[in-house]
Amino acid sequence: MANVTISPGRAGPVDITIQLETVDELPLTAKAVSVTLLDAQSGSDRQTLQATRGSDDQWYVRTSMKTPGRWILGLGISISETDSVNIESPIVIK
């Protein structure tokens, strides 16, 4: 499971914070995390960014959301050399 916070939730510069958890809601240690953002309305403006791990085991990305509307946020989570998970979810940017 991933708890994702986008702040502020409007077009312009944003900070994305990602907290990863196991199904038992325990912290999940990952080797790497990437964030992909895709404008769901136009299908353009795809950007993939590598997240940086913080000292608190959360992952961080700073980027800019060019336009308001519906977006698809994808996470690429590398758990080990051979194990990875991809998650996608729609988000709304005001």
Side-chain angles (χ1 to χ4, degrees), residues 6-87:
I6 300 174
S7 180
R10 63 179 184 269
V14 296
D15 291 315
I16 302 172
T17 304
I18 305 150
Q19 180 184 13
L20 302 174
E21 296 178 348
T22 66
V23 294
D24 298 323
E25 297 184 5
L26 298 172
L28 173 69
T29 302
K31 293 178 110 0
V33 175
S34 65
V35 176
T36 300
L37 296 164
L38 174 67
D39 184 332
Q41 295 168 15
S42 70
S44 63
D45 290 334
R46 176 184 289 266
Q47 57 179 319
T48 300
L49 307 155
Q50 291 300 314
T52 303
R53 183 187 339 222
S55 60
D56 54 0
D57 251 354
Q58 292 188 23
W59 294 83
Y60 300 94
V61 170
R62 175 169 277 175
T63 191
S64 182
M65 304 296 292
K66 296 178 184 177
T67 58
R70 292 184 58 86
W71 288 76
I72 302 296
L73 181 136
L75 297 178
I77 304 164
S78 176
I79 299 168
S80 70
E81 296 296 325
T82 58
D83 194 13
S84 64
V85 175
N86 293 309
I87 303 169

